[in-house]
C-alpha cells in the first residue's frame, strides 16, 4: 500500500532546553524565526512554536509569538502551530497567550494536551476543567487543535471532549513518547495508540532524546507523520549536538525517503490536515 507524503513537524524551541545544554537552541524572535525558515528549507511543513524571554526563560507572551509569526510568514509558507502547553507551572491564562493573536500573527493550529502526566521530576498538569477551557478557546479562535498524547488515556479524554462538542474529529494527533514518567517510545505503544484513533484521523509521533530519529523510520513504515527538533532531542548522533533543528529535519527527511516516503510540502500538508489557507 502506498502511503501519503510524510508531514514533518519541526519542534524548534520548547520550554526546557537551555543554552547550558546546547548553544544552538534559539531564544530571540529573530533566532526562532530564522530556525523555522531553515527547517522549512530542509523539508518541514509545520513548525511547533514556543517562545522565550531574551534570557531564555520560557514564555507564552502573545507579543513574542506575534513577532516570530510575522517574521516566519514574511519568509515562507510553513504551517504555524503554537503551544498551549507552555512550561510546567504556568497558569492556564498564561498558556493561552498565543490564542489571542489576530490577522497575520494568527497561527493555524494550537496544541491541546488532554490529561496530566509526570514530566521528568515535575508534573505537566492538565486537569479536566483546564483542558476543556483550552479546547473552547482553540475552537473559538478558529484554530485546528493537535492532540498531544503523552499517555494512552489522553486519547479517551479527547473522545469525551468530542462528545461534549468541544473538539472536532477525526482530528490530528501527536504521540509524545518517551518523556520520563509518560508512555515509552516503543513500537507496541505506537501501534496501540494509532489503533485507538477515529477513522480518518491523521497522526504524528514525537519521540524523546535518542528515540527521536529511529522513531521516524518506524513511523515512515506505518504511514504516519513525524515531529523532530530540539524541543525533544538535541543530538544528531550519540554525543554529537545537532547544529539546529534543521539538521534533525534533514535526517528525518533522509530516513523517510529511505523507506519510500515522499515529504509533504506545506500546501500538501494543509490539504491533509484540512486547513483553509
Ligand atoms: N513544555 C511541556 C511542559 C505543548 O507544547 O503543548 C509542554 C509542551 C506541550 O511542550
Ligand atoms: Zn511544545
Amino acid at each position: 500500500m502506498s502511503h501519503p507524503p510524510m508531514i514533518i513537524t519541526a519542534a524548534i524551541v520548547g520550554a526546557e532546553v537551555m543554552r547550558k545544554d546546547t548553544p544552538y537552541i534559539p531564544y530571540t524572535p529573530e533566532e526562532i524565526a530564522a530556525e523555522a525558515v531553515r527547517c522549512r528549507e530542509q523539508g518541514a511543513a509545520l513548525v511547533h512554536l514556543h517562545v522565550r524571554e531574551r534570557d531564555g526563560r520560557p514564555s507564552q507572551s502573545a507579543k513574542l509569538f506575534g513577532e516570530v509569526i510575522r517574521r516566519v510568514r514574511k519568509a515562507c509558507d510553513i504551517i504555524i502551530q503554537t503551544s498551549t502547553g507552555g512550561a510546567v507551572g504556568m497558569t492556564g491564562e498564561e498558556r493561552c497567550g498565543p490564542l489571542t493573536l489576530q490577522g497575520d500573527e494568527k497561527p493555524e493550529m494550537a496544541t491541546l494536551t488532554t490529561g496530566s502526566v509526570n514530566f521528568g521530576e515535575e508534573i505537566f498538569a492538565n486537569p479536566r476543567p483546564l483542558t476543556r477551557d483550552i479546547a473552547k478557546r482553540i475552537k473559538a479562535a478558529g484554530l485546528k487543535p493537535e492532540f498531544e498524547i503523552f499517555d494512552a488515556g489522553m486519547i479517551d479524554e479527547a473522545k469525551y471532549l468530542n462528545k461534549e462538542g468541544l473538539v472536532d474529529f477525526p482530528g490530528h494527533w501527536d504521540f509524545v513518547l518517551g518523556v520520563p514518567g509518560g508512555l515509552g517510545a516503543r513500537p507496541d505503544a505506537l501501534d496501540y495508540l494509532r489503533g485507538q484513533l477515529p477513522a480518518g484521523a491523521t497522526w504524528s509521533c514525537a519521540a524523546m532524546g535518542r528515540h527521536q530519529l529511529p522513531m521516524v523510520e518506524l513511523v515512515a513504515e506505518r504511514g504516519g507523520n513525524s515531529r523532530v527538533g530540539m524541543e525533544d532531542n538535541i543530538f544528531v548522533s550519540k554525543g554529537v549536538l545537532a547544529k539546529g533543528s534543521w539538521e534533525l529535519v534533514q535526517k528525518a527527511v533522509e530516513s523517510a525517503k529511505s523507506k519510500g516516503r515522499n515529504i509533504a510540502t506545506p500546501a500538501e500538508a494543509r490539504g491533509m490536515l484540512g486547513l483553509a489557507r
Side-chain angles (χ1 to χ4, degrees), residues 21-199:
D21 305 309
T22 171
Y24 303 110
I25 193 83
Y27 279 175
T28 67
E30 294 84 346
E31 290 166 353
I32 294 169
E35 186 60 31
V37 175
R38 281 192 288 273
C39 288
R40 166 72 185 98
E41 286 163 0
Q42 293 300 326
L46 202 164
V47 65
H48 167 76
L49 281 182
H50 288 245
V51 290
R52 302 289 186 98
E53 300 294 342
R54 291 203 92 81
D55 63 2
R57 271 176 305 126
S59 165
Q60 287 288 103
S61 147
K63 185 168 176 290
L64 291 173
F65 271 105
E67 274 183 59
V68 173
I69 293 171
R70 261 184 287 114
R71 284 172 186 274
V72 174
R73 289 244 165 89
K74 243 189 218 155
C76 73
D77 58 352
I78 196 164
I79 300 168
I80 295 176
Q81 175 193 87
T82 49
S83 170
T84 66
V88 162
M90 285 180 175
T91 65
E93 200 58 40
E94 205 177 348
R95 284 167 53 177
C96 289
L99 302 182
T100 62
L101 291 164
Q102 300 292 330
D104 64 353
E105 296 183 344
K106 186 174 164 168
E108 289 170 81
M109 298 179 73
T111 57
L112 179 66
T113 302
T114 52
S116 299
V117 62
N118 285 329
F119 193 84
E121 305 307 306
E122 302 178 290
I123 299 176
F124 178 31
N126 294 288
R128 296 183 96 185
L130 174 63
T131 303
R132 283 196 191 92
D133 179 50
I134 298 177
K136 280 182 196 160
R137 294 190 200 214
I138 291 174
K139 204 174 180 56
L143 309 183
K144 183 175 173 107
E146 175 178 279
F147 302 111
E148 299 295 314
I149 305 301
F150 291 73
D151 223 330
M154 293 188 190
I155 296 182
D156 297 285
E157 185 63 2
K159 290 178 181 173
Y160 282 118
L161 295 176
N162 174 255
K163 279 212 180 95
E164 290 182 317
L166 301 180
V167 297
D168 296 327
F169 270 6
H172 182 61
W173 305 72
D174 183 41
F175 308 134
V176 187
L177 301 183
V179 170
L183 189 57
R186 302 189 314 267
D188 63 323
L190 179 75
D191 288 335
Y192 174 77
L193 295 176
R194 64 194 188 92
Q196 302 306 306
L197 299 184

